[in-house]
């Protein structure tokens, strides 16, 4: 992508410009100008294209990283993890600006996915149960690739939605897309650290408990396991180091 003076962002300095730059980059991902696995333009290129400061660029990229949209490798740059879904998924991502925004996103998921887990326990097929258990187990081996973890995490929750027997659950989760799986900074860090491994192990246990309850057809336990997982996710995402 080359610099374009028409892309210059004008207005008051500060967080407004950071959000507008983030929105512009999300739009590039949504429209396919930036694809999963591609490196986003350098700081210098973004400064030239959008007419913003280096501080604004760094803050926008940092927020995208915290939202799980990109990951940054020291000395190599930032790379796109996944493209957001059309429609609502983009809106959710662009609003993930503060810990409060993240808490609201988890609140939405609590309102939908707790009941969804109960419905899945009541209505799942044997094939759906087996697939869900396998999906939860597979996450344990994904200790080195954040992109794989993001895809696997979303796939797990998507499977539950489609096992409810109510097509609107599946359509809603599909419309949110992988953007709904917002990762805290420590889940984007080096996987060989003790903190990363401990957090990953707990998260895997939570997914396995949900899968087991749904596979057993235990409606109350499935709801409880999903509620615990999402409540813990909210605490992990909003925890300040």
């Amino acid at each position: 992508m080359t610099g374009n003076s028409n892309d210059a962002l004008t207005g008051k300095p500060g967080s407004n410009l950071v959000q507008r730059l983030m929105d512009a980059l999300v739009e590039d991902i949504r429209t396919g100008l930036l694809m999963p696995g591609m490196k986003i333009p350098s700081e210098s290129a973004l400064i030239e294209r959008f007419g913003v400061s280096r501080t604004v660029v760094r803050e926008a990229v940092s927020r995208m990283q915290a939202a799980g949209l990109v990951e940054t490798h020291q000395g190599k740059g930032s790379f796109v993890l996944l493209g957001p879904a059309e429609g609502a998924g983009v809106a959710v991502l662009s609003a993930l600006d503060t810990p409060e925004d993240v808490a609201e996103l988890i609140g939405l998921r609590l309102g939908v996915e707790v009941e969804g887990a109960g419905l899945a326990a009541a209505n799942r097929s044997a094939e759906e149960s087996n697939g869900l258990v396998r999906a939860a187990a597979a996450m344990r081996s994904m200790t080195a690739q954040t992109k794989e973890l993001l895809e696997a995490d979303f796939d797990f929750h998507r499977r539950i939605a489609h096992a409810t027997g109510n097509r609107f659950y599946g359509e809603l989760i599909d419309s949110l897309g992988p953007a709904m799986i917002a990762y805290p900074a420590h889940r984007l860090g080096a996987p060989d650290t003790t903190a990363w491994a401990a957090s990953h192990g707990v998260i895997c246990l939570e997914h396995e408990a949900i899968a087991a309850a749904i596979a057993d057809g235990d409606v109350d336990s499935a709801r409880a396991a999903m509620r615990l997982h999402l409540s813990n996710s909210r605490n992990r995402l909003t925890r300040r180091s």
Side-chain angles (χ1 to χ4, degrees):
M1 292 173 9
T2 60
N4 186 335
S5 59
N6 292 332
D7 291 333
L9 303 177
T10 59
K12 296 180 180 179
S15 61
N16 182 53
L17 282 179
V18 171
Q19 185 62 55
R20 290 169 65 187
L21 175 56
M22 182 177 171
D23 291 343
L25 292 175
V26 168
E27 180 67 10
D28 282 351
I29 296 172
R30 186 188 69 79
T31 58
L33 290 177
L34 288 171
M35 299 292 290
M38 288 179 61
K39 181 180 176 180
I40 69 172
S42 67
E43 288 183 357
S44 297
L46 291 175
I47 290 169
E48 179 182 357
R49 176 184 172 191
F50 293 104
V52 295
S53 69
R54 191 173 303 276
T55 299
V56 169
V57 170
R58 289 180 176 177
E59 179 62 22
V61 173
S62 177
R63 292 184 187 182
M64 293 176 71
Q65 181 184 22
L69 188 57
V70 303
E71 64 178 351
T72 301
H73 297 277
Q74 190 67 32
K76 295 182 179 179
S78 298
F79 297 81
V80 178
L81 293 177
L82 287 174
E86 294 287 340
V90 176
V92 169
L93 256 184
S94 66
L96 287 178
D97 192 28
T98 66
E100 290 73 23
D101 293 331
V102 174
E104 288 188 6
L105 171 60
I106 299 295
L108 169 66
R109 293 181 60 193
L110 276 162
V112 173
E113 292 192 80
V114 170
E115 182 61 23
L119 289 172
N123 298 313
R124 82 285 181 270
S125 66
E127 181 180 357
E128 287 170 332
S129 293
N130 293 334
L132 194 59
V133 170
R134 287 195 299 270
M139 293 183 68
R140 283 200 174 271
S141 64
M142 298 177 184
T143 57
Q145 296 294 328
T146 301
K147 179 177 183 292
E148 288 182 3
L149 277 171
L150 183 62
E151 291 174 329
D153 204 331
F154 174 65
D155 177 66
F156 178 84
H157 289 273
R158 181 179 179 275
R159 285 174 181 270
I160 294 173
H162 283 274
T164 61
N166 182 327
R167 66 183 177 88
F168 291 106
Y169 274 86
E171 289 179 5
L172 175 59
I173 298 304
D174 285 344
S175 71
L176 290 174
M180 77 178 206
I181 310 295
Y183 280 9
H186 68 265
R187 290 197 74 185
L188 293 170
D192 56 351
T193 63
T194 301
W196 193 98
S199 176
H200 182 63
V202 170
I203 292 166
C204 286
L205 283 173
E206 291 171 4
H207 284 89
E208 289 161 0
I210 296 168
I214 291 174
D216 290 343
D218 189 333
V219 172
D220 291 338
S221 292
R223 288 174 178 153
M226 180 63 80
R227 184 179 292 108
L228 177 64
H229 168 57
L230 292 177
S231 296
N232 286 346
S233 295
R234 179 162 54 188
N235 291 335
R236 286 187 288 262
L237 284 159
T238 57
R239 185 182 303 136
R240 296 180 185 272
S241 56

